[in-house]
Amino acid sequence: MEVYNKIKNFIIYGLGQSVNILIPLLAMPYIIKICGEDGLGKIGIAFSLMLILCGLVDYSSYLVGTREIVLNKRDSSFLRQQISAIYSYKVLLFVILSLLAIIFVNILPFYEENTLIFLSLFMVLSQLLNPNWIFQAFEEFEKIALYNVLSKLGYLIMIFVFLHKDSDYIWVNFFFGISGTLVYLYAFLRIYKRHQLKFDHKSFQNGIEILKRDFRICLSEFCLSLYQYLPIMIVGALLGNTLAGLYRVAEQVFSVFRTFIFMFFTFSYPIVVHETAKKLVSGIKIWLAYHFVHLIIILIGTALVFIFTENILIYFKINQNSLPQMINILKLMLFVPLLLVLSQALRQLMFAMNFTKSYTLIIYFATVIHILMMILFIQAFDIEGAFYSMIAVEAIVILLYLVRLNKNLKNQTI
């Protein structure tokens, strides 16, 4: 029965998360048709900046917060205090980061899109309200699926109803954010009532204490966000918005794999944490089983994209002049998800075994190397340089994770 429930939960969660793959694939060709590759580049740069801010607003909620709820889910007093404190610090971070983002955009010499950035901030507000980190801890995957589907459907409807001319590109990220804000506001109110949350001076004080306690892990997650979402901003700065738009198309195909990989991480994380806390050997066995299946799925997916590369790019309405280069870029990109599935599996085990300090040091190092390599490789190899950098850095990260895990496991009696 337990195995049946795990499979059922994964199917429900997977179906809900599949809209994260399907909706952008439906929306992007229409966005390119209306706004052009240049408009898509501007949208993509703002979108990536908002995802970095979302990671900062989440702080440690999806890792430490989820882990603490998993281990204390029967303590209603702890849950009320912890959830209230986490939402309190999210509000503080949202206000500070929103102001900093507006100031930051005003000083960028290559990106004068104040209105687009302001409207895109609704994406961050949506992430502030999003209680998926709580649902994840309680393994309530049907709720994650339901709210995600409603949010993304609202976005898709707005795109097709309100996007009519090239200057409408400024509204694309707003549609994404406002749809999520409305859906997750309702979800948050349900959580507020269910756990009898309380927001006062004490909750904000507790939130600030969590900010101090988890600063190291948040900094590592910020570095991870930079690692994932900064490339399009570097492409835009060095090569211009049009090439940033072409990069966004390749990134969208890659994001199909990335979404699935992180979906697998999110689904299996509380299970692996719970099992490794009970007995290390059983936790590692379950971890291996999950991620072996995971790797096989990604291998099949990359093979299909390789076979149908040209058809995929034609679907995205890529300009014929750009098609040969984009075919090469897309095939090169396929090495990244194969490495990412391995690095994320090892990252999960690092957290499950509470190797937070080692993990943060690895991510700091990887981020600095990635940014430097990205700048050098893009200048040397054009858009392809971004993916050369990703491949090199993912390989380095995998090696460092393996060295750290192997060192600990040798010293333990499993």
Side-chain angles (χ1 to χ4, degrees), residues 11-57:
I11 292 172
I12 292 171
Y13 182 64
L15 288 173
Q17 291 298 301
S18 66
V19 302
N20 291 336
I21 297 171
L22 181 61
I23 297 300
L25 293 178
L26 293 174
M28 185 169 286
Y30 182 74
I31 294 171
I32 294 174
K33 178 183 175 182
I34 300 298
C35 303
E37 293 167 357
D38 185 72
L40 181 66
K42 294 174 182 178
I43 294 164
I45 291 170
F47 191 87
S48 292
L49 177 59
M50 293 306 116
L51 290 179
I52 292 171
L53 297 184
C54 285
L56 287 170
V57 166

Side-chain angles (χ1 to χ4, degrees), residues 142-273:
E142 71 284 351
K143 292 181 180 177
I144 296 176
L146 174 63
Y147 292 127
N148 189 52
V149 168
L150 292 174
S151 169
K152 299 304 187 298
L153 282 178
Y155 161 69
L156 186 64
I157 291 168
M158 290 181 195
I159 288 293
F160 285 112
V161 171
F162 298 113
L163 203 67
H164 299 301
K165 53 186 184 294
D166 57 0
S167 60
D168 288 341
Y169 73 89
I170 62 172
W171 296 101
V172 171
N173 292 338
F174 171 77
F175 296 151
F176 190 94
I178 195 64
S179 180
T181 298
L182 294 174
V183 170
Y184 290 121
L185 176 60
Y186 173 78
F188 167 75
L189 293 174
R190 295 287 298 268
I191 289 289
Y192 180 89
K193 183 177 180 181
R194 170 178 163 184
H195 293 287
Q196 299 179 321
L197 303 185
K198 188 175 182 181
F199 298 103
D200 54 18
H201 177 73
K202 185 178 180 182
S203 72
F204 280 93
Q205 205 169 38
N206 291 337
I208 292 170
E209 289 302 313
I210 295 174
L211 292 177
K212 294 176 183 176
R213 183 198 70 188
D214 294 343
F215 176 76
R216 184 187 292 271
I217 189 67
C218 174
L219 186 57
S220 69
E221 290 306 287
F222 172 64
C223 289
L224 188 62
S225 294
L226 290 179
Y227 176 82
Q228 292 173 349
Y229 305 122
L230 194 61
I232 191 173
M233 300 175 72
I234 297 175
V235 170
L238 297 179
L239 304 177
N241 290 325
T242 299
L243 287 179
L246 291 176
Y247 175 86
R248 181 72 181 93
V249 173
E251 186 188 49
Q252 184 60 63
V253 179
F254 167 58
S255 74
V256 172
F257 295 104
R258 184 169 59 199
T259 298
F260 187 84
I261 290 167
F262 281 96
M263 178 194 79
F264 224 100
F265 182 101
T266 302
F267 175 81
S268 56
Y269 179 63
I271 300 165
V272 173
V273 167

Side-chain angles (χ1 to χ4, degrees), residues 350-351 353-360 404-405 408 412:
M350 292 281 287
F351 280 118
M353 297 178 69
N354 206 24
F355 296 163
T356 305
K357 185 175 180 180
S358 297
Y359 166 77
T360 55
R404 178 62 185 90
L405 288 165
N408 182 267
Q412 287 197 39

